[in-house]
Amino acid sequence: MKAIKRGMIVLVLIVVSTLVVACGQDAASENEGTSSGDSDTSLKIGLSVVDLTLERWQHDRDIFIERAEELGAEVIVQSADGDADKQLSQIENMLSQNVDVLVIIAANSDALAPIVEQAKDQGVIVVAHDRLINNAEIDAYVSFDNEGVGEMQAQYLIDRVPQGKYFLLGGEPSDHTAHMFRQGQMNILQPLIDSGDIEVIGDQWADGYSGEQALSIIENALTANNNDIDAIVAPNDSTAGGAIQALEGQSLIGEILVTGQDADLAAVQRIAEGKQSMTVYKPIKEIATTSAEVAVRLAEGEELEADVTIDNGIKEVPFVQLTPISVDKDNLLEVIVEDEFHSYEDVYKNVPEDERPAKP
Ligand code: GAL
């Protein structure tokens, strides 16, 4: 686990109002393309997204573009569809289009060092968005307290099932954050595993956080254990969806606790219906807006500002670390609806009207 050092750089993000030049405001409704931005003189940002088929990243893209355009930048977006090689050639292409900044959501945290080197040779700023890029001269990392995400998931489960059989699902193995989630989960679970209160009956990782893989992993785990499982640690909502589909097949919905992360619409609907126990909401507005601001300001020659750093193997990278929030049925309305991440109608769509909480 990469060490996070606090207090190495204590600066504050300063909102430089002079940077705010309202330009095109087109919402990015397509998967890929170039946002309207400004004229030839505007700052060009390449946003390389790991996989736009996952709902999580669509939110990041839309909000990032909106904020970058407000700041006068133009954004080129591409989705690598979870393929690390495809991401490399897409980034190469962005460099040939003379982007000033690359904001990368890595498909593989260990595969990007050579392309980052090329970018740095061209004087391009590189920001790692949500997922760290290892062994590379990146300028900044903007993400959440990812170990904290894992701790929230495990804490939720042990508060309700302090003794029992746990199945551990992992995320994409080449994603650095997947390991931070696991680290956080183990911070909480290990003492109970050591005392014998919790038995880990399986540990498998789903490539690309694939819901389909999670479905078959949990189907097999249910069969192997005669359905005797008490809790499933799912790293995010796509894998939680697969796990819950497997439970549905055995009429076990609601009987086995399942965690998640991202507050995807399907997941918050499942929470409202009692099918998924919790999710971890990471305010996407905050990360996407911050990332756009960091990208523009670094390109304008400002110093980066972060209150912690993270070791990526070759340097202490300034880390803008945001705070996640644990969400279940009890605070769904307050956190998700009131933050306008999803609407009341969408969240409670599958809940009979007389069983819904009062609309705020
Ligand atoms: C992680 C990210 C999660 C989740 C997952 C699937 O890196 O932190 O929020 O979306 O990827 O792509």
Coordinates of all heavy atoms in Angstrom, one line a residue, residues 185-233:
Q185 N -11.0 -2.4 3.8 CA -11.9 -3.5 4.3 C -11.1 -4.4 5.4 O -11.7 -4.7 6.4 CB -12.3 -4.4 3.2 CG -13.3 -3.7 2.2 CD -13.2 -4.3 0.8 OE1 -12.5 -5.2 0.5 NE2 -14.0 -3.6 -0.1
M186 N -9.9 -4.7 5.0 CA -9.1 -5.6 5.9 C -8.7 -4.9 7.2 O -8.6 -5.5 8.3 CB -7.9 -6.1 5.2 CG -8.2 -7.0 4.1 SD -9.5 -8.2 4.3 CE -8.7 -9.5 5.3
N187 N -8.6 -3.6 7.2 CA -8.3 -2.8 8.5 C -9.4 -3.2 9.5 O -9.2 -3.3 10.7 CB -8.3 -1.3 8.2 CG -7.2 -0.8 7.4 OD1 -6.2 -1.5 7.2 ND2 -7.3 0.4 6.9
I188 N -10.6 -3.3 9.0 CA -11.8 -3.5 9.9 C -12.0 -5.0 10.1 O -12.3 -5.5 11.2 CB -13.1 -2.9 9.2 CG1 -12.9 -1.4 8.9 CG2 -14.3 -3.2 10.1 CD1 -12.7 -0.5 10.1
L189 N -11.8 -5.8 9.1 CA -12.2 -7.2 9.2 C -11.1 -8.1 9.9 O -11.5 -9.1 10.5 CB -12.5 -7.8 7.8 CG -13.6 -7.3 7.0 CD1 -13.7 -8.0 5.6 CD2 -14.9 -7.4 7.8
Q190 N -9.8 -7.7 9.6 CA -8.8 -8.6 10.1 C -8.9 -9.0 11.6 O -8.7 -10.2 11.9 CB -7.4 -8.0 9.8 CG -6.2 -9.0 9.8 CD -6.4 -10.2 8.8 OE1 -6.5 -10.0 7.7 NE2 -6.4 -11.4 9.3
P191 N -9.1 -8.1 12.5 CA -9.2 -8.5 13.9 C -10.3 -9.5 14.1 O -10.1 -10.4 15.0 CB -9.5 -7.2 14.6 CG -9.1 -6.1 13.7 CD -9.2 -6.6 12.3
L192 N -11.4 -9.4 13.4 CA -12.5 -10.4 13.6 C -12.2 -11.7 12.9 O -12.7 -12.7 13.3 CB -13.8 -9.8 13.1 CG -14.3 -8.6 13.9 CD1 -15.3 -7.8 13.2 CD2 -14.8 -9.1 15.3
I193 N -11.4 -11.6 11.9 CA -11.0 -12.9 11.2 C -10.0 -13.6 12.2 O -10.1 -14.8 12.4 CB -10.3 -12.6 9.9 CG1 -11.3 -12.0 8.9 CG2 -9.7 -13.9 9.3 CD1 -10.7 -11.4 7.6
D194 N -9.1 -12.8 12.8 CA -8.1 -13.4 13.7 C -8.8 -14.0 14.9 O -8.4 -15.0 15.4 CB -7.1 -12.3 14.2 CG -6.2 -11.8 13.0 OD1 -6.2 -12.6 12.0 OD2 -5.6 -10.8 13.2
S195 N -9.9 -13.4 15.4 CA -10.6 -13.9 16.6 C -11.5 -15.1 16.2 O -12.0 -15.7 17.1 CB -11.4 -12.8 17.3 OG -12.4 -12.4 16.4
G196 N -11.7 -15.3 14.9 CA -12.5 -16.4 14.5 C -14.0 -16.1 14.4 O -14.8 -16.9 14.1
D197 N -14.3 -14.8 14.7 CA -15.7 -14.4 14.5 C -16.2 -14.4 13.1 O -17.3 -14.7 12.8 CB -15.9 -13.0 15.2 CG -15.9 -13.1 16.7 OD1 -16.4 -14.1 17.3 OD2 -15.3 -12.3 17.3
I198 N -15.3 -13.9 12.2 CA -15.6 -13.9 10.8 C -14.8 -14.9 10.1 O -13.6 -15.0 10.2 CB -15.4 -12.5 10.2 CG1 -16.5 -11.5 10.8 CG2 -15.4 -12.5 8.7 CD1 -16.3 -10.1 10.4
E199 N -15.5 -15.7 9.2 CA -14.8 -16.6 8.4 C -14.9 -16.2 6.9 O -16.0 -15.9 6.4 CB -15.5 -18.0 8.5 CG -14.8 -19.1 7.7 CD -15.6 -20.4 7.7 OE1 -16.6 -20.5 8.4 OE2 -15.2 -21.3 6.8
V200 N -13.7 -16.0 6.3 CA -13.8 -15.6 4.9 C -13.9 -16.9 4.0 O -13.0 -17.7 4.0 CB -12.5 -14.8 4.5 CG1 -12.5 -14.5 3.0 CG2 -12.5 -13.5 5.3
I201 N -15.0 -17.0 3.4 CA -15.2 -18.3 2.6 C -14.8 -18.2 1.2 O -14.9 -19.1 0.4 CB -16.7 -18.7 2.8 CG1 -17.6 -17.6 2.4 CG2 -17.0 -19.2 4.2 CD1 -18.9 -18.1 1.8
G202 N -14.4 -17.0 0.7 CA -14.0 -16.9 -0.6 C -13.5 -15.5 -0.9 O -13.9 -14.5 -0.2
D203 N -12.6 -15.3 -1.9 CA -12.0 -14.0 -2.2 C -11.7 -14.1 -3.7 O -10.8 -14.7 -4.1 CB -10.8 -13.8 -1.4 CG -10.1 -12.5 -1.8 OD1 -10.6 -11.7 -2.6 OD2 -9.0 -12.2 -1.2
Q204 N -12.5 -13.4 -4.5 CA -12.3 -13.4 -6.0 C -12.5 -12.0 -6.5 O -13.3 -11.2 -6.0 CB -13.2 -14.3 -6.7 CG -12.7 -15.8 -6.6 CD -13.7 -16.7 -7.3 OE1 -14.6 -17.3 -6.6 NE2 -13.6 -16.9 -8.6
W205 N -11.7 -11.6 -7.6 CA -11.7 -10.3 -8.1 C -12.4 -10.3 -9.5 O -12.2 -11.2 -10.3 CB -10.3 -9.7 -8.2 CG -9.7 -9.5 -6.8 CD1 -9.6 -10.5 -5.8 CD2 -9.1 -8.3 -6.3 NE1 -9.0 -9.9 -4.7 CE2 -8.7 -8.6 -5.0 CE3 -8.9 -7.1 -6.8 CZ2 -8.1 -7.7 -4.2 CZ3 -8.3 -6.1 -6.0 CH2 -7.9 -6.4 -4.7
A206 N -13.2 -9.3 -9.7 CA -13.9 -9.2 -11.0 C -13.2 -8.2 -11.9 O -13.1 -7.0 -11.6 CB -15.4 -8.7 -10.7
D207 N -12.8 -8.7 -13.1 CA -12.1 -7.9 -14.1 C -13.0 -6.7 -14.5 O -14.1 -6.9 -14.8 CB -11.7 -8.7 -15.3 CG -10.7 -9.8 -15.0 OD1 -9.9 -9.6 -14.1 OD2 -10.8 -10.8 -15.7
G208 N -12.4 -5.5 -14.5 CA -13.2 -4.4 -14.9 C -14.4 -4.1 -14.1 O -15.4 -3.5 -14.6
Y209 N -14.4 -4.6 -12.9 CA -15.6 -4.5 -12.0 C -16.9 -5.0 -12.7 O -18.0 -4.5 -12.6 CB -15.8 -3.0 -11.6 CG -14.7 -2.4 -10.7 CD1 -13.6 -1.9 -11.3 CD2 -14.9 -2.4 -9.3 CE1 -12.6 -1.4 -10.5 CE2 -13.8 -1.8 -8.6 CZ -12.7 -1.3 -9.2 OH -11.7 -0.7 -8.4
S210 N -16.7 -6.1 -13.5 CA -17.8 -6.6 -14.3 C -18.9 -7.3 -13.4 O -18.6 -8.1 -12.6 CB -17.2 -7.7 -15.2 OG -18.2 -8.6 -15.6
G211 N -20.1 -6.8 -13.6 CA -21.3 -7.3 -12.9 C -21.5 -8.8 -13.3 O -21.9 -9.6 -12.5
E212 N -21.2 -9.1 -14.6 CA -21.4 -10.5 -15.1 C -20.5 -11.4 -14.3 O -20.9 -12.5 -14.0 CB -21.2 -10.6 -16.6 CG -22.4 -10.2 -17.4 CD -22.1 -10.2 -18.9 OE1 -21.3 -11.0 -19.3 OE2 -22.7 -9.3 -19.5
Q213 N -19.2 -11.0 -14.2 CA -18.3 -11.9 -13.5 C -18.7 -12.0 -12.0 O -18.6 -13.1 -11.5 CB -16.9 -11.3 -13.6 CG -16.1 -11.8 -14.7 CD -14.6 -11.4 -14.6 OE1 -14.0 -11.4 -13.6 NE2 -14.0 -11.1 -15.8
A214 N -19.1 -10.9 -11.4 CA -19.6 -11.0 -10.0 C -20.7 -11.9 -9.9 O -20.8 -12.7 -8.9 CB -19.9 -9.6 -9.5
L215 N -21.6 -11.9 -10.9 CA -22.8 -12.8 -10.8 C -22.3 -14.3 -10.8 O -22.8 -15.1 -10.0 CB -23.7 -12.5 -12.1 CG -24.7 -13.6 -12.5 CD1 -25.8 -13.7 -11.4 CD2 -25.4 -13.2 -13.8
S216 N -21.4 -14.6 -11.7 CA -21.0 -16.0 -11.8 C -20.2 -16.4 -10.6 O -20.3 -17.5 -10.0 CB -20.4 -16.4 -13.1 OG -19.1 -16.0 -13.2
I217 N -19.3 -15.5 -10.1 CA -18.5 -15.8 -8.9 C -19.5 -16.1 -7.7 O -19.3 -17.1 -7.0 CB -17.6 -14.6 -8.5 CG1 -16.5 -14.4 -9.6 CG2 -17.0 -14.7 -7.1 CD1 -15.7 -13.1 -9.5
I218 N -20.5 -15.3 -7.5 CA -21.4 -15.4 -6.4 C -22.3 -16.7 -6.6 O -22.6 -17.4 -5.6 CB -22.2 -14.2 -6.0 CG1 -21.2 -13.0 -5.6 CG2 -23.2 -14.4 -4.9 CD1 -20.3 -13.3 -4.5
E219 N -22.7 -16.9 -7.8 CA -23.5 -18.1 -8.1 C -22.7 -19.3 -7.6 O -23.2 -20.2 -6.9 CB -23.8 -18.3 -9.6 CG -25.1 -17.5 -10.0 CD -25.3 -17.5 -11.5 OE1 -24.4 -18.0 -12.2 OE2 -26.4 -17.1 -11.9
N220 N -21.5 -19.4 -8.0 CA -20.6 -20.5 -7.7 C -20.4 -20.6 -6.1 O -20.4 -21.7 -5.6 CB -19.3 -20.4 -8.4 CG -19.4 -20.6 -9.9 OD1 -20.4 -21.2 -10.3 ND2 -18.5 -20.1 -10.6
A221 N -20.2 -19.4 -5.5 CA -20.0 -19.4 -4.1 C -21.2 -19.9 -3.3 O -21.1 -20.6 -2.3 CB -19.6 -18.0 -3.6
L222 N -22.4 -19.5 -3.8 CA -23.6 -20.0 -3.2 C -23.8 -21.5 -3.3 O -24.1 -22.2 -2.3 CB -24.9 -19.3 -3.8 CG -25.0 -17.8 -3.5 CD1 -26.1 -17.2 -4.4 CD2 -25.4 -17.6 -2.0
T223 N -23.5 -22.0 -4.4 CA -23.5 -23.5 -4.7 C -22.5 -24.2 -3.7 O -22.9 -25.1 -3.0 CB -23.2 -23.8 -6.1 OG1 -24.1 -23.0 -7.0 CG2 -23.4 -25.3 -6.4
A224 N -21.3 -23.7 -3.8 CA -20.2 -24.3 -3.0 C -20.5 -24.3 -1.5 O -20.0 -25.2 -0.7 CB -18.9 -23.7 -3.3
N225 N -21.3 -23.3 -1.0 CA -21.5 -23.2 0.4 C -23.0 -23.5 0.8 O -23.4 -23.1 1.9 CB -21.2 -21.8 0.9 CG -19.7 -21.5 0.8 OD1 -18.9 -21.9 1.6 ND2 -19.2 -20.9 -0.3
N226 N -23.7 -24.1 -0.1 CA -25.1 -24.4 0.2 C -25.9 -23.2 0.7 O -26.7 -23.2 1.6 CB -25.3 -25.5 1.3 CG -24.7 -26.8 0.8 OD1 -24.9 -27.2 -0.3 ND2 -24.0 -27.5 1.7
N227 N -25.6 -22.1 0.0 CA -26.3 -20.8 0.3 C -26.0 -20.2 1.7 O -26.6 -19.3 2.1 CB -27.8 -20.9 0.1 CG -28.2 -21.1 -1.4 OD1 -27.4 -21.0 -2.2 ND2 -29.5 -21.3 -1.6
D228 N -25.0 -20.9 2.3 CA -24.7 -20.4 3.7 C -23.7 -19.3 3.7 O -22.5 -19.6 4.0 CB -24.3 -21.6 4.5 CG -24.1 -21.3 6.0 OD1 -24.6 -20.2 6.4 OD2 -23.5 -22.1 6.7
I229 N -24.1 -18.1 3.4 CA -23.2 -16.9 3.4 C -24.0 -15.8 4.1 O -25.2 -15.7 3.9 CB -22.9 -16.5 1.9 CG1 -22.2 -17.6 1.1 CG2 -22.0 -15.2 1.9 CD1 -21.9 -17.2 -0.3
D230 N -23.3 -15.1 4.9 CA -24.0 -14.0 5.7 C -23.8 -12.6 5.1 O -24.6 -11.8 5.2 CB -23.5 -14.0 7.1 CG -23.8 -15.3 7.8 OD1 -25.0 -15.6 8.0 OD2 -22.8 -16.0 8.2
A231 N -22.6 -12.4 4.4 CA -22.3 -11.1 3.9 C -21.4 -11.1 2.7 O -20.5 -12.0 2.7 CB -21.7 -10.2 5.0
I232 N -21.7 -10.2 1.8 CA -20.8 -10.1 0.6 C -20.2 -8.7 0.5 O -21.0 -7.7 0.5 CB -21.6 -10.4 -0.7 CG1 -22.2 -11.9 -0.7 CG2 -20.8 -10.2 -1.9 CD1 -23.2 -12.2 -1.7
V233 N -18.9 -8.7 0.5 CA -18.2 -7.4 0.4 C -18.1 -7.1 -1.1 O -17.2 -7.7 -1.7 CB -16.8 -7.4 1.1 CG1 -16.1 -6.1 0.9 CG2 -16.9 -7.8 2.5

